[in-house]
Amino acid sequence: MGGIAALFCFFRLADVIAALVVIRILVQFVAQIVGVIVLRVRRPDLPRPFHMWLYPLPALVALGGFIYVLISRKNFLREIRYAAVLVVVGLAIYFIRARMRAEWPYDRVP
């Protein structure tokens, strides 16, 4: 963890925070909205503990809002590049660690 933290010392703090905000918007909010729509299309038979009024309009408005917030940022393309670097580095670290511990996707099937 210290090595990873040291790597990010070469970037400006504002750029790292902006990249993390972009990742959060993309992964948490946009993926969640798309996931809800895909789930309702592919599995309409699943019981729903609640109902969204005017579905899918609120989800589409939220999706449009988050995409607008994302692309209206001052340095949108640079932040997307930093976010992509963070995601690639994070995935590489995860897969190396999973390989060393024989965890998913490298787990041994008995």
Side-chain angles (χ1 to χ4, degrees):
M1 291 299 276
I4 298 164
L7 175 69
F8 290 113
C9 288
F10 293 105
F11 298 102
R12 289 184 3 192
L13 179 61
D15 293 336
V16 174
I17 291 172
L20 292 173
V21 167
V22 168
I23 291 171
R24 181 172 180 149
I25 289 173
L26 288 175
V27 172
Q28 182 178 357
F29 301 129
V30 173
Q32 182 177 349
I33 293 166
V34 171
V36 164
I37 293 171
V38 168
L39 181 66
R40 290 205 174 212
V41 168
R42 289 192 177 176
R43 296 294 308 269
D45 57 319
L46 287 178
R48 312 268 187 241
F50 62 91
H51 295 280
M52 182 185 299
W53 291 357
L54 303 174
Y55 173 82
L57 184 62
L60 295 175
V61 169
L63 181 63
F66 284 121
I67 290 174
Y68 172 75
V69 166
L70 191 63
I71 64 173
S72 68
R73 298 179 58 86
K74 183 179 176 184
N75 298 314
F76 165 68
L77 292 176
R78 184 177 67 181
E79 292 172 358
I80 288 291
R81 282 191 290 267
Y82 283 149
V85 168
L86 285 173
V87 168
V88 168
V89 169
L91 285 173
I93 291 168
Y94 169 77
F95 283 119
I96 290 169
R97 182 177 178 269
R99 178 79 170 165
M100 291 172 29
R101 294 181 172 209
E103 296 174 344
W104 183 91
Y106 304 105
D107 55 348
R108 296 178 187 96
V109 178

